[in-house]
Amino acid sequence: MANGICIFAENYNGKLEPASAELVSAARLIQETTKEQISAVVVAKDCDGIIEELKNIGVEKIYAVKTDHDILFQDDAASQVLADMIRKIDPSSVLIPATPAGRSIFSRVAMKLNCGLTADCTELLVGTKEDGAYYIKQNKPSYGENVFVTIVTRDGYYPQMMTVRPGVYTIPEKSEGNAEVVYMDDIQIPESRIEIAEILPQEDSTDSILSAEIVVVGGRGTLEDDNFELVKQFADKIGAAIGGTRPMVDTETIPFDHQIGQTGLTIRPKICISLGVSGAIQHTEGIKDTKLFVAVNTDENAAIFKVADYGMVADLREVLENYLKL
Ligand SMILES: Cc1cc2nc3c(=O)[nH]c(=O)nc-3n(C[C@H](O)[C@H](O)[C@H](O)COP(=O)(O)OP(=O)(O)OC[C@H]3O[C@@H](n4cnc5c(N)ncnc54)[C@H](O)[C@@H]3O)c2cc1C
């Protein structure tokens, strides 16, 4: 081994997925210690726009395979192409967004390369071995999201491959980049056995929370007396996305991919309004980069007030009913 840190540039319709762009920030943090080159692999019909986007967020070398149609929904073909590319590039690590496509394609790539794949990392750190070689500490929640574990790739099973949860890292600032582009024309595109019948846009997705300017977060305090109905009406009125704490997921009030916190999503909206949330560190870790944070809680000693910019010691039902009457 090894030829730098490589990012999987997931893309649709000629555009780079934001979750892949975020990986450049993760790679840069690794690069600060290892000094490795940051590269990206692109497989797409329209590569040009994607290559331009990658250049402008600091990717230093781009390996591309042009296809006659987009194949990223055809996991069998896509995984073969990407495995062949990675075998040739021989990177020390591969960073993949923990999106449905990233997880599905790269579990197959890992099998083809006979290496490991750590799923859904929320933090990547660099460690040093006794001989001075670097390795990536792949930190992630595990055992039903109840503990944090550090996974390290075993010697002999390189590259170190990991999927990284969207939203944990931010997309780097744009700057004019000057990356080297290598078209890997010798890579064969196999025939896929998957036929795409129809592609439908998702109505409500994790993306809607990650990109929302305003997020209303409901906690266990919203579970009584139909209070969550009021939360939904409130969010609707102000055009906010809805997230929640873990008890909201445990009670199936919201889906898991709307949980905010250490084992859920990290959000960075302009405004976050927190209702009936106590403020446990495992939750506030996921909202600490919010620009303006407002919290409502009946308990004046609630920890949430320590992180809030504005706090209201009040019953959320009263606050919401008054607002909705306006
Ligand atoms: C390893 C690990 C990982 C975890 N990961 C996460 C995570 O990612 N995300 C997460 O959220 N949690 C996570 N948790 C759980 C976390 O520790 C807390 O238990 C959880 O965040 C508490 O949720 P809550 O604030 O909704 O509930 P509670 O702590 O029960 O707080 C409810 C709050 O509502 C207030 N309240 C009640 N009624 C009203 C009312 N009418 N009006 C206003 N306020 C009211 C109460 O005063 C109270 O402060 C994790 C825990 C562990 C151990």
Side-chain angles (χ1 to χ4, degrees):
M1 67 155 208
N3 202 3
I5 312 157
C6 186
I7 288 161
F8 168 48
E10 189 178 331
N11 59 83
Y12 296 102
N13 297 328
K15 290 216 164 83
L16 182 68
E17 278 294 286
S20 277
E22 291 166 14
L23 297 180
V24 179
S25 297
R28 278 190 184 164
L29 290 175
I30 297 168
Q31 187 188 45
E32 276 175 21
T33 310
T34 67
K35 312 293 179 216
E36 291 173 290
Q37 186 180 56
I38 301 174
S39 66
V41 279
V42 183
V43 178
K45 181 170 173 260
D46 300 318
C47 289
D48 296 354
I50 304 159
I51 289 172
E52 224 31 57
E53 284 186 74
L54 288 166
K55 279 183 181 172
N56 294 338
I57 53 172
V59 173
E60 295 155 333
K61 190 162 184 174
I62 300 161
Y63 298 91
V65 168
K66 272 195 177 194
T67 49
D68 61 0
H69 66 282
D70 283 327
I71 63 165
L72 292 188
F73 287 131
Q74 292 171 313
D75 302 10
D76 53 350
S79 58
Q80 186 61 56
V81 171
L82 284 156
D84 289 346
M85 291 174 84
I86 288 165
R87 211 176 271 122
K88 286 200 169 194
I89 299 163
D90 188 26
S92 65
S93 56
V94 184
L95 275 47
I96 303 132
T99 51
R103 288 165 191 240
S104 179
I105 295 170
F106 276 83
S107 51
R108 290 164 171 81
V109 172
M111 225 192 71
K112 292 179 202 302
L113 296 179
N114 191 30
C115 66
L117 177 69
T118 305
D120 212 19
C121 296
T122 52
E123 185 183 39
L124 302 179
L125 300 172
V126 179
T128 315
K129 293 183 189 168
E130 273 176 17
D131 64 1
Y134 297 118
Y135 64 94
I136 300 180
K137 296 179 180 175
Q138 302 150 43
N139 292 344
K140 56 163 290 179
S142 200
Y143 293 104
E145 311 272 314
N146 281 314
V147 290
F148 275 95
V149 296
T150 298
I151 294 181
V152 174
T153 304
R154 282 173 62 186
D155 283 341
Y157 288 87
Y158 274 59
Q160 309 165 91
M161 294 217 303
M162 62 222 73
T163 68
V164 180
R165 191 173 289 190
V168 174
Y169 294 95
T170 49
I171 297 174
E173 293 283 321
K174 282 204 176 120
S175 61
E176 211 158 299
N178 192 21
E180 181 189 351
V181 182
V182 178
Y183 287 97
M184 302 177 89
D185 296 332
D186 51 340
I187 300 276
Q188 300 291 316
I189 319 284
E191 189 78 25
S192 173
R193 290 191 295 172
I194 299 165
E195 192 185 325
I196 309 295
E198 200 178 359
I199 297 175
L200 300 169
Q202 224 174 343
E203 275 175 16
D204 184 22
S205 70
T206 310
D207 290 355
S208 63
I209 294 197
L210 292 178
S211 60
E213 295 205 335
I214 312 174
V215 177
V216 171
V217 177
R220 204 195 310 259
T222 66
L223 287 176
E224 281 171 24
D225 305 325
D226 258 355
N227 281 349
F228 195 66
E229 265 317 302
L230 287 177
V231 173
K232 286 202 256 181
Q233 287 173 34
F234 173 62
D236 196 40
K237 189 162 177 180
I238 62 170
I242 297 180
T245 59
R246 183 145 157 186
M248 306 297 283
V249 177
D250 293 343
T251 53
E252 296 183 4
T253 313
I254 60 164
F256 171 67
D257 63 6
H258 286 221
Q259 176 180 309
I260 313 295
Q262 241 172 24
T263 50
L265 297 174
T266 302
I267 54 168
R268 298 180 179 81
K270 283 193 180 149
I271 303 172
C272 179
I273 302 168
S274 171
L275 303 163
V277 174
S278 60
I281 180 89
Q282 293 91 353
H283 171 70
T284 53
E285 273 297 296
I287 46 164
K288 62 180 190 312
D289 293 333
T290 296
K291 293 197 178 54
L292 180 73
F293 187 54
V294 182
V296 180
N297 196 305
T298 42
D299 176 7
E300 63 178 354
N301 296 314
I304 198 78
F305 292 132
K306 295 205 175 90
V307 284
D309 298 306
Y310 293 95
M312 282 176 84
V313 180
D315 184 332
L316 67 96
R317 170 164 279 273
E318 262 176 52
V319 175
L320 295 187
E321 276 178 346
N322 280 331
Y323 181 80
L324 290 167
K325 268 190 225 146
L326 292 176

